[in-house]
Every structure is written in structure tokens, then in C-alpha cells.
Amino acid sequence: MKRLSPGTLAALPAEVARPLYDREAQKVGIVHFGIGAFHRAHQAWYTDAAMNEGDADWAITGISLRSAGVARQMNPQGGLYTVAEQSAEGARLRIVGSVRNVLVASEEPDAVIAAVAAPSTHIVSLTVTEKGYCRSADGTLDFDLAHSLSFYYFVTQGLLARAKAGLGGVTLLSCDNLADNGAKLHALMLQYLDRHEPDLVPWFEANCTCPSTMIDRIVPATTDEDRAMVAKALGGLSDEACVVTEPFSQWVIEDRFAGPRPRWEAVGAQLVSEVGPYETAKLRMLNGAHSLLAYCGLKAGYEYVHEAIADPALRQLATSLMHEEAAPTITPAPGQDLAAYAEALIARFANPCLNHRLIQIAMDGSQKIPQRWLETLAESAAQGRTCPAILTAISAWIHHLSGANGPVDDPMAASLSLIVRRYLSGRDAAEALFSAAGPLSGYWHPTPEDLDYVGRHADIRPVQTTLLQ
């Protein structure tokens, strides 16, 4: 089967959208570390759209820090790939042309440094996952992890070359799901520079910026079935780099750049003075409802998000969490419509084509629920309001910790499950988890009424009996 490539673009069916610009004429303006499926469905997709609208010289050089897998997928295709947006109405396909090439840092370190140092490069962006920031438990840089194959090394060497050549700085743009990601990246870069290139610190502070961002799009792992669907839609052309996603996409960016940037706002991105309200809304509304659907949905016997949201009782719980419990704790930015956001989320959850597994969302609950639920509970309590939807979700989480849905995938699984197993009462388990001496103390102080509510819904006794046998 022939592969998608610049030479086969002309053979595509007319209904498949494709780049409207001369790809070969574009200079590389962005170097991106972590060119996985999310970047291809999100930032590279926005950049392609901006170039379709007339922006020039924003081609992307992608960097894989270790694995050559993405390079093998994309380089034989000249950087081209398909984004397939799937919904109940079917799939809509677009060929994205913004990626010029992919470098493997472990194999081509000098080429990576040269890409960062190139005069045409103005933005160095990142989707390296939270683990890629090499943070210690206290949030500072772990220098043992931030070794010569971390992005810190390559960015630092590229910036050093820029400074020596008399070039300007760059915008370092974190696009990872990390709260206050710009400020965190700035602090971590300063720690790395202070240790390895202290003379570069004043230049970095004067010439580079690290804006915060909020990113949102569901991008499941591409399956063989997805690739077969794309190949059929491309008229028989194979695309090893294709990604499947939802029609919805959101990108909120702090408008604080060190130099030129694409006109992303012309194609749907939001350039704002402060990202915080959007980030809070995502955590407490989208992520909060997602976790509720995960634990309550699993307890009800469902496997996927779209199945859970189709249950009228669970849909009402998710709606109540967003509209009545989370939204009142958020001070929206100008023009930020939280009610419309909640309705859009319900529609996204109902998309039957993404097969977003509840058990995946249920992973690492101890790391997620403080921001997703407990902050809302604490602020609501301070305002004199209760949150029955979140309390119901907490009871379902305790049910999950008892082993009712199978092995618990959580870094604190052993200690949390041990606490739950000690008690036949959901109320007592909740009190132990959230008390001053409990593993989740400090976020929320439940009242006796809160504990009674959780206890009435936790239903851990049958599972408890099984676990103790």
C-alpha cells in the first residue's frame, strides 16, 4: 500500500482537506519537544490552520527525545499526517502539513541543538508530560533526572548558541496538562541554568519568556482500526502517523511572547492576559465531571464515558457538579461563559466514537481529586453551600478503593486500600481518609453531615467481606 506523502497528495479524494500553502517555502519557526499524538492533533493542527490563513514561516521541527517511533512514522511521509475528527455524524479528515521533520535527540543531538539555535526559530514548545519536567516531590528540579537527554540540556545548549551568535531569545511554551505550566517551566529552567550555565541566566531573563497555557482536546491512542478507516478515506493511501480526535478543541495562551508568533487566535485559540480562570474551569468542571463519571460509571457497570453520560442519573450528577457546585467557585475571565462551557462538555462526553475508557480516567485518583473535587468542596463550604454530587462521587471513589472495580491503579493504592479495608462503614473510611492525620488531609474538612452523606452512599460492606477472606 502506498503511503501518504507530498508526492501522493494530488491523488487524495476531493473531500479530504489539505494544506493550502507552499510547504517547501516555509522556514521552521517552531521546535517542538514531545511530538506525540496530542501535539499533532492540537498545536500542530492550529499552526497548520494559521498557515492556511496566510501566516508564513511557522513550520515545525519535531523532537523525540528517545524513541525513533514517531520519526519512522512521519519522516517517510514528509511530515504529513491526517487528523480525523470523529463524531456521531461521521469522520472529517484533514491533512496537516505544518510539521517539516522529526529529529531523534538520542541519535542526532547536534541537529536538535542547531534547530533551537537557528535564526528562524522563535518558539520552543513542549508536550513532554508532567514526568518530563523532572520534578522532585517538592516541585524543584531533580538534577539526576534532568540529564543530557532531557529537554533542559538541548534547550540550554541552543540558547547558549543563540546568545553567542547575538540572536534574540525564544518563547518557551509549555503545552502540558500542568497547572500554572509557564511559571513552573520558568522556575525549573532557572534552576537548570543556575547549575549548568549560570552566566546565561541574565540573558535568559532578559530575552526569553514562558507563557502559561491551557490545552484541551481528547486524543485517544490510534488503533489499527483507526488506521484502516483513514486509509480507506484516503483512497487507499496508508498513513502511519494519523491521529483520531474529537471535533472540540481549546487552546488558551497567555499573550506574553518573546518575539513573533503565529496568529493562532485567527483559527480558534484564545490569547488572554491570564490563563488561571480557564485552567480552574477545566479542572473543576471538565476534569471534576470526568472523575465523577469514572467512579460512578464503573460502580454502575459501564465501561466508557459515552455510556455513563447516557444514564439519566449520572448525567444529572455531572450536570449538577458543573453548574451548581463547581461554577459558583470560579471567577470567570471577561467573556468566559461557564454555563455554555458546561453544556459543551456534556455534548463532548456523549460522543460515541471516542471510546474513552472509565477505568483509564479512574487511574491516579489520589493525585487528581484534590484539584478536581476537594478545592470545590472547600470553597463551597466557605460559602455555606453543600455539594451532593461531589459527595456522591467521593463515595464511589471509596467503593473503587475497596477493589470493587478490580486492581486500583494509583501511586497511593496500598495505603488508601488498607484504610478502606479497615472499615465496614463508608463514613468511617471517609473520616480516616480526610482527617487531619489522613493521606488527603489539608484540602477539605468534611462536616459530620458530609461524612454521613458519603457513608450512606459508599456501599463498601460486600466488597470488604470479599477482601478480608
Side-chain angles (χ1 to χ4, degrees), residues 387-409:
C387 298
I390 293 179
L391 293 177
T392 301
I394 286 176
S395 72
W397 178 59
I398 292 173
H399 184 73
H400 176 74
L401 293 177
S402 72
N405 304 316
V408 178
D409 191 339

Side-chain angles (χ1 to χ4, degrees), residues 3 100 164 174 220 235 458:
R3 287 180 72 170
R100 173 64 50 80
K164 289 179 178 178
S174 170

Side-chain angles (χ1 to χ4, degrees), residues 120-136:
S120 65
T121 297
H122 298 292
I123 295 171
V124 175
S125 52
L126 307 163
T127 48
V128 293
T129 75
E130 185 169 350
K131 187 182 297 184
Y133 290 83
C134 307
R135 296 190 301 162
S136 303

Side-chain angles (χ1 to χ4, degrees), residues 267-297:
V267 292
Q270 297 165 268
L271 276 291
V272 301
S273 59
E274 185 182 359
V275 173
Y278 297 91
E279 189 174 75
T280 302
K282 181 188 177 188
L283 283 168
R284 297 184 187 178
M285 297 177 71
L286 185 156
N287 298 141
H290 245 171
S291 287
L292 178 148
L293 290 170
Y295 300 117
C296 294

